[in-house]
C-alpha cells in the first residue's frame, strides 16, 4: 500500500485544503485515516480551518470568472484528458478505494471505471448543452432559451463511494462552466487527496485557472459552512436522510439550490414467474455488495407466497457460500464495514429487529480471529419480518436483508412503496403484464425501477436519484446537467414596431 500511496502523491502527513495545484496552510486539527481492512493507519490530514476555507472559496470565485468563458468543447477536452489520466491510475486508485473504504477490489476498480465513464459522457455533453427556439406570438420577434454556468457547486460526498459520486457532479459541472468545492467524507480523505492530485496535473497542463477544482476536508461543521454559504448557488449532498434534511433546510433558507442523494430502502419483488437463478444472483449482490453500504443496497425481498419457501431455501444456501475477508483478495465476496461505529449500528438493528418479532434464518454477528482484527467484519444476515416493523422501515447501512410474503400483486406494490424512502426498486418476473404494471404510474414510486436486474449497479447514462426521503435529486446522465446551469429565456425584436404580448395596447 505504501507504493500505491506514493503513486497517488499521498504522504504520511498531508494538507487537506487545495485550490487546484496549490495546497493551503491550515491550523485545523489532524485526522488519521485507518483502514477497516486491518485497522492500520494509512496517513494523516490537516483539516480546513475558517481562514483556509475563505482562501479556497475566494479562489474558487475568481476561477469561475475565467472558466465560464472557456468554450464548452474546450472544457470538455480537459475532462477527456482527466478520463485518460484516470485510466492510467485506475489500478492504484481502485486499490486505495478498496483499502481505505473496505469495499472489494473489483468494486473499487468499478468505481474508478464510473469516473472514467462520466468523463466520456461529459465530453459528449460539452457539445450538446442545447436550448430551445420557440415561435413568438409577436411578429418580427424571435424567442429562444439558453443555459449559462451557475457558479460554484459545493459537493458533499459520502464514504461509501468516496470518488465516483464526486466525479458525477464535478465532470458535469465543469463542462457546464461551473467550478467545484468538494468536501469528501472525513472517513475517506485519502481518496479525495488522490483525486485532487490527478486533477491538478491535468488542469495545470491545460492552463485551467486555479479554483476550478477546490478541495476542503473536515467534519460536519465544514458541511454546515458550505450549506449556509450564499456564495455557493448549488450544494450537491450525498448521505443520510438526516444529513440531507439539514443541508436542504440551510440551503433553502438562503434560497439556494440543493441536489440531495439520500437514504434508500430498496426492495425486490419476486413473482411466481421469476427466473429464480437470476433472482438469487441479483438479490445476493444487491444485499451483500459493499457489505450492505450502498444507497442502492437491497434491504427487502417481497416474495410471492407460492414460491416463498423454495426461494428462501435457495437464498439461505447461497448465503452459506459467502466468503468474508480482506477485500483486496478477489476470492472474497464481502469486506468490512467502514468502522466500529457502523458495526454498533448493525448489532443494534439486529437486536431491535428481534424485539419486534423478526426471525433470523441466517444469523448475524461480528467476526473475530485471524484476518478480522479490525473488528469491522460482520456476517450478512437474513430475517423474516413484517412490512410495518420499524427496522424494515428504517435504512441500516449494513448487510441485513428482510424477507416478506405477499399474495396479490397489488399487495406487493403496496409493500414496495410503503416506506419513507424511494431510491431504487426491482421486480423479478417474465410476465409482461406484471413488468409493465410495476413500471407504470400505479407501480414503483422510486426514482429507479428495474425489471430482471437488481437494485444496485446503476449506469452513468441514466439520471441517478430517488423520491420521497431520498431527496429528489438527480446526478450523472440523461439531462441531469440542467441542475448545474441557469436557464435564460431571450426575446429579440428585429422589427421596427413594438407590439406587446397578449395583444396589449399602449399608445402614446
Amino acid at each position: 500500500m505504501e507504493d500505491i500511496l506514493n503513486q497517488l502523491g499521498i504522504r504520511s502527513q498531508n494538507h487537506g485544503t487545495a485550490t487546484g495545484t496549490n495546497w493551503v496552510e491550515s491550523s485545523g486539527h489532524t485526522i488519521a485515516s485507518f483502514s477497516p481492512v486491518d485497522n492500520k493507519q494509512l496517513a494523516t490530514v490537516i483539516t480546513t480551518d475558517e481562514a483556509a476555507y475563505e482562501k479556497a472559496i475566494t479562489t474558487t470565485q475568481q476561477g469561475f470568472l475565467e472558466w465560464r468563458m472557456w468554450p464548452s468543447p474546450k472544457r470538455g477536452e480537459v475532462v477527456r484528458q482527466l478520463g485518460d489520466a484516470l485510466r492510467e491510475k485506475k489500478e492504484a486508485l481502485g486499490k486505495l478505494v478498496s483499502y481505505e473504504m473496505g469495499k472489494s477490489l473489483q468494486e473499487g476498480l468499478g468505481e474508478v471505471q464510473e469516473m472514467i465513464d462520466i468523463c466520456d459522457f461529459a465530453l459528449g455533453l460539452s457539445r450538446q448543452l442545447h436550448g430551445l427556439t420557440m415561435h413568438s406570438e409577436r411578429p418580427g420577434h424571435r424567442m429562444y432559451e439558453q443555459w449559462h454556468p451557475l457558479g460554484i457547486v459545493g459537493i458533499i460526498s459520502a464514504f461509501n463511494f468516496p470518488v465516483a459520486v464526486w466525479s458525477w457532479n464535478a465532470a458535469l459541472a465543469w463542462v457546464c462552466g461551473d467550478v467545484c468545492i468538494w468536501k469528501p467524507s472525513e472517513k475517506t480523505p485519502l481518496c479525495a487527496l488522490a483525486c485532487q492530485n490527478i486533477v491538478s496535473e491535468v488542469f495545470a497542463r491545460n492552463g485551467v485557472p486555479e479554483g476550478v477544482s477546490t478541495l476542503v476536508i473536515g467534519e460536519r461543521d465544514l458541511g454546515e459552512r458550505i450549506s449556509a454559504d450564499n456564495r455557493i448557488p448549488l450544494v450537491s449532498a450525498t448521505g443520510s436522510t438526516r444529513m440531507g434534511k439539514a443541508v436542504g433546510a440551510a440551503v433553502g433558507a438562503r434560497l439556494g439550490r440543493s441536489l440531495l442523494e439520500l437514504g434508500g430502502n430498496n426492495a425486490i419483488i419476486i413473482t411466481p414467474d421469476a427466473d429464480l437463478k437470476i433472482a438469487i444472483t441479483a438479490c445476493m449482490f444487491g444485499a451483500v455488495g459493499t457489505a450492505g453500504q450502498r444507497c442502492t443496497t437491497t434491504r427487502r425481498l417481497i416474495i410471492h407466497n407460492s414460491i416463498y419457501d423454495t426461494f428462501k431455501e435457495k437464498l439461505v444456501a447461497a448465503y452459506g457460500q459467502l466468503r468474508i475477508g480482506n477485500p483486496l483478495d478477489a476470492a472474497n465476496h464481502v469486506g468490512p464495514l467502514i468502522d466500529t461505529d457502523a458495526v454498533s449500528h448493525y448489532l443494534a438493528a439486529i437486536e431491535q429487529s428481534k424485539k419486534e418479532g423478526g426471525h433470523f434464518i441466517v444469523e448475524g454477528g461480528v467476526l473475530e480471529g485471524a484476518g478480522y482484527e479490525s473488528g469491522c467484519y460482520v456476517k450478512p444476515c437474513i430475517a423474516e419480518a413484517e412490512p410495518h416493523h420499524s427496522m424494515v422501515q428504517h435504512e441500516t447501512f449494513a448487510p441485513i436483508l428482510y424477507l416478506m410474503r405477499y399474495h396479490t400483486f397489488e399487495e406487493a406494490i403496496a409493500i414496495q412503496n410503503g416506506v419513507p424512502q424511494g431510491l431504487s426498486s426491482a421486480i423479478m418476473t417474465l410476465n409482461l403484464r406484471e413488468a409493465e404494471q410495476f413500471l407504470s404510474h400505479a407501480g414503483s414510486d422510486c426514482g429507479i425501477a428495474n425489471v430482471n436486474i437488481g437494485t444496485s449497479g446503476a449506469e452513468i447514462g441514466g439520471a441517478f436519484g430517488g423520491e420521497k426521503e431520498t431527496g429528489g435529486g438527480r446526478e450523472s446522465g440523461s439531462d441531469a446537467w440542467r441542475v448545474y446551469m441557469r436557464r435564460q429565456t431571450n426575446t429579440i425584436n428585429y422589427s421596427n414596431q413594438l407590439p406587446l404580448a397578449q395583444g396589449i395596447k399602449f399608445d402614446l
Side-chain angles (χ1 to χ4, degrees):
M1 188 50 59
E2 184 177 350
D3 181 56
I4 296 297
L5 295 176
N6 288 334
Q7 288 182 50
L8 296 171
I10 299 171
R11 301 180 296 274
S12 59
Q13 296 177 317
N14 303 270
H15 292 294
T17 310
T19 57
T21 58
N22 297 327
W23 293 89
V24 180
E25 296 279 347
S26 171
S27 60
H29 64 277
T30 298
I31 58 175
S33 175
F34 291 89
S35 171
V37 175
D38 52 19
N39 204 35
K40 291 182 179 178
Q41 180 174 310
L42 293 166
T44 61
V45 181
I46 301 173
T47 59
T48 303
D49 65 7
E50 187 173 351
Y53 175 81
E54 282 302 313
K55 174 65 175 177
I57 200 74
T58 55
T59 304
T60 302
Q61 285 181 301
Q62 286 299 119
F64 173 62
L65 299 180
E66 180 180 341
W67 181 244
R68 66 182 178 178
M69 301 309 296
W70 284 40
S72 181
K74 187 177 178 182
R75 298 193 295 255
E77 166 59 19
V78 175
V79 174
R80 182 197 68 77
Q81 292 180 36
L82 174 58
D84 286 345
L86 289 168
R87 287 179 173 90
E88 294 174 5
K89 300 287 189 179
K90 180 178 178 179
E91 183 175 357
L93 185 55
K95 285 182 177 178
L96 177 59
V97 168
S98 176
Y99 192 60
E100 187 177 31
M101 184 267 151
K103 64 176 58 177
S104 75
L105 177 57
Q106 288 303 310
E107 290 182 89
L109 294 171
E111 185 169 345
V112 181
Q113 186 61 50
E114 285 191 33
M115 303 174 76
I116 295 167
D117 292 343
I118 198 65
C119 288
D120 288 348
F121 182 92
L123 169 62
L125 176 65
S126 69
R127 294 181 181 271
Q128 299 181 73
L129 301 175
H130 300 148
L132 297 173
T133 299
M134 293 80 75
H135 287 280
S136 173
E137 67 185 51
R138 291 169 284 186
H141 285 60
R142 179 167 68 90
M143 290 180 64
Y144 68 97
E145 67 179 25
Q146 57 182 334
W147 296 84
H148 293 305
L150 190 60
I152 302 173
V153 176
I155 303 171
I156 301 173
S157 62
F159 72 84
N160 60 331
F161 280 85
V163 295
V165 172
W166 162 75
S167 71
W168 293 354
N169 286 276
L172 298 194
W174 286 332
V175 298
C176 289
D178 298 325
V179 295
C180 299
I181 183 166
W182 178 24
K183 181 215 166 296
S185 169
E186 65 273 19
K187 297 182 179 183
T188 51
L190 304 189
C191 288
L193 297 181
C195 290
Q196 185 69 21
N197 288 334
I198 294 170
V199 171
S200 65
E201 290 180 8
V202 174
F203 280 19
R205 193 163 60 240
N206 286 272
V208 174
E210 198 76 3
V212 174
S213 178
T214 301
L215 175 68
V216 290
I217 291 178
E219 282 130 353
R220 178 176 177 173
D221 61 322
L222 183 56
E224 292 172 345
R225 183 178 292 133
I226 289 172
S227 300
D229 195 332
N230 59 17
R231 294 168 291 186
I232 303 176
L234 171 65
V235 176
S236 176
T238 302
S240 68
T241 296
R242 178 194 56 77
M243 180 276 288
K245 287 180 178 179
V247 170
V251 176
R254 59 181 176 85
L255 298 181
R257 297 190 199 177
S258 57
L259 192 169
L260 302 176
E261 297 288 358
L262 311 176
N265 191 354
N266 316 294
I268 301 178
I269 297 173
I270 314 292
T271 78
D273 292 317
D275 181 325
L276 296 189
K277 182 179 179 182
I278 290 176
I280 286 290
T281 302
C283 295
M284 287 284 289
F285 177 72
V288 308
T290 323
Q293 297 172 113
R294 289 178 177 234
C295 52
T296 54
T297 290
T298 304
R299 308 202 182 278
R300 300 176 293 142
L301 294 186
I302 306 164
I303 309 166
H304 191 271
N305 186 62
S306 66
I307 60 168
Y308 183 90
D309 291 333
T310 299
F311 193 82
K312 179 176 74 170
E313 182 180 343
K314 290 179 180 291
L315 189 64
V316 170
Y319 263 61
Q321 300 175 46
L322 288 174
R323 291 185 294 273
I324 306 167
N326 189 320
L328 294 173
D329 183 346
N332 292 325
H333 300 106
V334 184
L337 294 179
I338 184 66
D339 55 27
T340 53
D341 284 343
V343 174
S344 296
H345 289 305
Y346 159 84
L347 293 173
I350 291 174
E351 185 64 26
Q352 180 61 31
S353 183
K354 289 180 177 179
K355 288 180 179 178
E356 294 178 345
H359 170 60
F360 279 79
I361 56 176
V362 175
E363 291 287 346
V366 182
L367 294 170
E368 299 176 343
Y372 304 126
E373 291 86 355
S374 69
C376 296
Y377 292 87
V378 302
K379 300 175 184 178
C381 56
I382 305 174
E384 295 179 294
E386 297 296 330
H388 65 271
H389 287 176
S390 67
M391 297 315 297
V392 174
Q393 294 283 313
H394 177 75
E395 178 193 40
T396 303
F397 233 46
I400 305 173
L401 181 64
Y402 299 103
L403 272 56
M404 290 156 278
R405 297 175 187 261
Y406 79 92
H407 295 84
T408 68
F409 193 70
E410 290 70 23
E411 181 188 6
I413 295 293
I415 295 171
Q416 143 69 39
N417 294 343
V419 294
Q421 308 84 4
L423 178 52
S424 187
S425 59
I427 187 171
M428 296 291 166
T429 183
L430 300 179
N431 183 313
L432 180 62
R433 288 178 175 174
E434 288 181 333
E436 289 295 335
Q437 185 173 342
F438 180 74
L439 301 177
S440 75
H441 307 318
S444 169
D445 65 0
C446 294
I448 299 169
N450 298 326
V451 176
N452 293 329
I453 63 171
T455 58
S456 58
E459 299 180 31
I460 60 92
F464 180 89
E467 302 300 324
K468 301 189 293 187
E469 287 195 357
T470 302
R474 293 298 185 275
E475 294 173 330
S476 195
S478 185
D479 65 348
W481 61 271
R482 292 172 183 256
V483 75
Y484 302 96
M485 304 196 80
R486 58 181 178 89
R487 185 199 306 250
Q488 185 180 80
T489 301
N490 309 111
T491 305
I492 300 173
N493 178 7
Y494 58 89
S495 73
N496 58 4
Q497 302 294 322
L498 188 63
L500 302 178
Q502 296 89 45
I504 294 173
K505 299 297 183 181
F506 187 73
D507 298 324
L508 295 176

